[in-house]
């Protein structure tokens, strides 16, 4: 048996990070089992589905490195892979169900449905209790109504049994007989509903494992009925736990950026995002936290956690930081060029940019944060915090300042060098006998206007001499 797993997004918005996580799990599981990973686009909601969203989701999956074997743009043996192009299949099967007595035409109007809901509520019964009014209408009678122009839906005839699965994540799950009634499979506009076409496609596409969000767990009950009516064996199910914010509520826009597109635009590295998402509800067999998802040899679904996974942006930033540190300097520069958005950086030479990248690599979690360091090189002013004031109060500091002023006026190029800084320090130590904190801190506040910062030699080598001179004047 070849493992076949699918990701089945609805193109009604951008790829949610929860969706990306489900896609990742499916992809990793298929890969670990030499199986196939399929992308199926569930676009039967005509009003909300947009091709633009489909393209954005596909791009985001690819950006995350989640490659599928079959999909709308990757032909395979089980296409088409877009539900809007499979309408005939659903219609024919619904007709077949009608012929076999497994489904029927239903003519309940929306007003009648509302009345029935009120009635059921008054009797403390489930709303679907009275949905079966046309269950036993003969096919001839139904056809007559259709010919007379009456609107109809197609309802599935619930066989009235209990249903159960052994979910890979949630264990034994069962649903009582009266959990659902006769449910709609084809709407009055002729479009199939999710619970119907999802199963038709999963069965026809030979899907062996359905890995999806916990919110679909209860849909499984209706879906099992469709598998049975089709004479197909249901796949294995793994319903992944919910992603929640720090307030333990389902992750939503309220919690900040929730789409992959947003993270891409904020400058996060895809490797960091997928590494973090993989660990949101799954644990590495060797308890590793930083790893290349593509190097995983196994992906055991039994390691998926049952409890909700808490999404923590601080943790994601930590992952991003780890991946930034390992980035080749040219890549780092490219990231800065895209995300700093400041002429003071953009107008520099490649050499300057690379030195800058090397200098601040360990100080940032995101490309965009590098912008905060530019003042250090280009603004003559000072950061007058307590430690700065203390350093300025030492009697040796004015001596250092006067010496540096004289030395800087001898520098010929636009920048002093790291070697120059080394020489200045030696002179201050040997000739002026300044040592320890008064030396290191004193020279730093004079040259950078701050008591703290990245490697002093590196900062000086990247700051125009003119700026340092202005700073000393101030
Ligand atoms: N189109 C459904 C969704 O986006 C798919 C659910 C499933 O995986 O069965 O939620």
């Amino acid at each position: 048996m070849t493992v076949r797993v699918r990701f089945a997004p609805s193109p009604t918005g951008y790829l949610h990070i929860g969706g990306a996580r489900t896609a990742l799990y499916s992809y990793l599981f298929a890969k670990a089992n030499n199986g196939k990973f399929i992308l199926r686009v569930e676009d039967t909601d005509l009003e909300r589905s947009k091709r633009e969203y489909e393209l954005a989701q596909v791009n985001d999956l690819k950006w995350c490195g989640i490659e599928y074997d079959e999909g709308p743009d990757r032909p395979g043996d089980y296409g088409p892979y877009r539900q809007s192009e499979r309408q005939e299949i659903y219609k024919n099967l619904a007709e077949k169900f009608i012929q076999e007595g497994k489904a029927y035409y239903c003519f309940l109007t929306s007003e009648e449905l509302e009345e029935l809901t009120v009635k059921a509520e008054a009797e403390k019964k489930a709303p679907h209790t009275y949905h079966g009014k046309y269950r036993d209408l003969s096919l001839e009678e139904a056809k007559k109504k259709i010919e007379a122009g009456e609107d109809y839906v197609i309802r599935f005839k619930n066989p009235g049994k209990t249903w159960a699965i052994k979910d890979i994540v949630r264990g034994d799950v069962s649903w009582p007989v009266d959990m659902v009634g006769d449910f709609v499979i084809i709407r009055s506009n002729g479009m199939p509903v999710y619970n119907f076409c999802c199963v038709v496609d999963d069965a026809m596409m030979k899907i062996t494992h359905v890995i999806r969000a916990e919110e679909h767990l209860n849909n499984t009950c209706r879906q099992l009925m469709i598998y049975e009516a089709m004479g197909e064996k249901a796949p294995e199910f793994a319903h992944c736990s919910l992603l929640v914010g720090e307030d333990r509520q389902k992750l939503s826009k309220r919690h900040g950026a929730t789409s992959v597109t947003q993270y891409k635009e904020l400058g996060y590295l895809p490797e960091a995002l997928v590494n973090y998402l993989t660990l949101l509800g799954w644990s590495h067999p060797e308890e590793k936290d930083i790893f290349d998802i593509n190097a995983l040899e196994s992906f055991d679904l039994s390691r998926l956690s049952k409890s909700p996974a808490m999404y923590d942006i601080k943790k994601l930033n930590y992952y991003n930081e780890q991946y930034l540190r390992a980035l080749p300097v040219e890549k780092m520069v490219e990231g800065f060029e895209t995300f700093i958005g400041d002429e003071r950086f953009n107008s520099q030479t490649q050499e300057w940019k690379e030195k800058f990248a090397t200098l601040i690599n360990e100080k940032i979690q995101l490309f965009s944060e590098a912008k905060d360091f530019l003042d250090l090189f280009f603004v003559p002013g000072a950061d007058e915090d307590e430690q700065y004031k203390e350093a300025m109060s030492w009697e040796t500091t004015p001596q250092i300042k006067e010496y540096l002023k004289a030395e800087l006026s001898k520098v010929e190029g636009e920048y002093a060098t790291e070697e120059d800084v080394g020489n200045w320090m030696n002179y201050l130590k040997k000739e002026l006998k300044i040592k320890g904190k008064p030396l290191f801190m004193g020279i730093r506040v004079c040259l950078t206007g701050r008591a703290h910062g990245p490697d002093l030699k590196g900062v000086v080598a990247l700051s125009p001499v003119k700026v340092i001179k202005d700073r000393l004047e101030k």
Side-chain angles (χ1 to χ4, degrees), residues 6-10 22 40 42 83 194 198 202 210-213 215-216 223:
R6 76 342 182 242
F7 176 53
S10 303
T22 308
R40 183 176 71 233
E42 303 210 322
Q83 289 188 328
Y194 156 71
C198 169
D202 282 344
V210 167
I211 303 171
R212 63 182 172 200
E215 62 201 5
H216 289 293
Q223 296 185 3

Side-chain angles (χ1 to χ4, degrees), residues 289-467:
D289 63 347
I290 305 282
F291 53 85
D292 174 1
I293 59 153
N294 287 302
L296 283 178
E297 278 168 17
S298 65
F299 186 81
D300 191 347
L301 294 177
S302 69
R303 303 192 68 83
L304 287 173
S305 157
K306 234 180 177 167
S307 22
M310 196 189 297
Y311 186 76
D312 180 353
I313 188 83
K314 291 195 278 312
K315 262 202 185 145
L316 171 62
N317 289 345
Y318 163 81
Y319 279 87
N320 206 63
E321 180 185 328
Q322 303 307 308
Y323 279 89
L324 267 187
R325 286 189 187 180
L327 215 58
V329 70
E330 317 81 66
K331 291 273 167 221
M332 191 98 176
V333 167
E334 279 172 27
F336 288 160
E337 283 169 342
T338 314
F339 294 101
I340 290 186
D342 191 311
E343 252 328 275
R344 293 179 298 176
F345 176 83
N346 292 345
S347 60
Q348 300 300 330
T349 60
Q350 179 69 15
E351 190 193 349
W352 191 97
K353 290 175 180 172
E354 290 190 5
K355 278 191 191 158
F356 172 81
T358 311
L359 185 69
I360 65 154
N361 174 294
E362 294 194 1
K363 304 265 175 209
I364 54 170
Q365 291 192 308
L366 287 172
F367 286 132
S368 53
E369 286 169 4
K371 189 182 167 97
D372 302 340
F373 287 85
L374 292 175
D375 283 0
L376 184 61
F377 309 104
F378 299 110
V379 177
D383 207 8
E384 298 184 24
D385 60 12
E386 284 311 308
Q387 276 165 305
Y388 170 88
K389 285 182 193 149
E390 190 197 341
M392 291 303 279
S393 71
W394 295 327
E395 59 179 13
T396 46
T397 306
Q399 283 175 277
I400 297 177
K401 191 173 79 177
E402 287 315 311
Y403 167 72
L404 290 174
K405 263 191 194 175
E407 287 302 306
L408 282 161
S409 63
K410 292 184 212 157
V411 175
E412 280 169 5
E414 197 186 346
Y415 298 96
T417 62
E418 296 198 11
E419 202 188 344
D420 289 335
V421 184
N423 292 338
W424 301 337
M425 293 191 86
N426 281 340
Y427 180 88
L428 292 167
K429 197 161 24 179
K430 292 213 179 90
E431 307 298 327
L432 298 189
K433 311 276 182 242
I434 308 174
K435 286 185 301 228
K437 218 172 159 191
L439 172 64
F440 297 112
M441 194 83 118
I443 192 168
R444 181 178 280 280
V445 292
C446 288
L447 291 170
T448 73
R450 287 156 181 83
H452 303 283
D455 173 60
L456 179 66
K457 288 181 180 173
V459 176
V460 173
L462 290 172
S463 308
V465 168
K466 193 182 167 308
V467 175

Side-chain angles (χ1 to χ4, degrees), residues 14 29 56 82 96 115 130 144 162 202 294 299 388 395:
Y14 292 101
F29 181 69
R82 214 176 260 128
K96 186 167 176 271
E115 279 167 26
Y130 296 113
K144 269 190 215 149
T162 54
D202 282 344
N294 287 302
F299 186 81
Y388 170 88
E395 59 179 13

Side-chain angles (χ1 to χ4, degrees), residues 2 30 45 119 212 230 238 411:
T2 309
D45 183 341
K119 181 174 177 210
R212 63 182 172 200
M230 286 176 78
V411 175

